[in-house]
Amino acid sequence: QVRLVESGGGSVQAGGSLRLACAASERIRSARCMGWFRQVPGKGREGIATIASDNKIEYADSVKGRFSISEDNTETDTVFLQMNALKPEDTAVYYCAASVALYGRCSFNRDLFNYWGLGTQVTVSS
């Protein structure tokens, strides 16, 4: 069973930056989608960024132009989320996820993701 472990969360003032990382415990099938989701209390888990096996990247409108997703697969499967120009409404628990059900394509549908991290808290103060 693949385990995903997020790191890099924390507290920052509005306008600041954070970089999240997600490391997989083992190699994930090459045809997969890696994604970042976030969730605030009382709301559903929102997909915000995905990167497919062919490096096609998608962003939710709420983070487009501010967040950047990338991968480093040289030693382990690791995905990053660079978050710039953070706003108080970005405050949430951020989750890393991997899908092998889409044969390398991506979706923001959380039901299609097979593996999830435990999440890391990001708090943005005004």
Side-chain angles (χ1 to χ4, degrees):
Q1 180 78 358
V2 174
R3 291 185 297 111
L4 302 176
V5 180
E6 302 98 337
S7 61
S11 297
V12 65
Q13 289 194 325
S17 298
L18 284 173
R19 189 186 194 213
L20 305 183
C22 170
S25 59
E26 59 187 79
R27 289 289 190 182
I28 302 173
R29 186 184 305 171
S30 59
R32 86 314 186 137
C33 169
M34 300 295 295
W36 286 97
F37 290 72
R38 67 185 181 186
Q39 188 169 20
V40 298
K43 292 191 176 182
R45 196 165 293 188
E46 171 195 20
I48 57 171
T50 59
I51 181 166
S53 297
D54 61 359
N55 293 319
K56 182 178 180 181
I57 290 174
E58 298 285 347
Y59 296 103
D61 289 343
S62 56
V63 305
K64 200 172 292 183
R66 300 186 299 122
F67 290 12
S68 176
I69 188 171
S70 61
E71 281 188 302
D72 181 357
N73 301 321
T74 52
E75 294 187 2
T76 60
D77 288 338
T78 303
V79 62
F80 302 96
L81 185 68
Q82 178 66 44
M83 304 186 295
N84 299 326
L86 282 161
K87 305 174 182 180
E89 51 264 44
D90 293 318
T91 295
V93 178
Y94 282 70
Y95 297 90
C96 171
S99 171
V100 296
L102 296 168
Y103 305 102
R105 300 171 66 183
C106 272
S107 166
F108 283 142
N109 183 346
R110 63 182 184 271
D111 294 333
L112 299 177
F113 283 78
N114 309 89
Y115 308 110
W116 290 89
L118 296 179
T120 185
Q121 176 70 45
V122 171
T123 302
V124 184
S125 58
S126 56

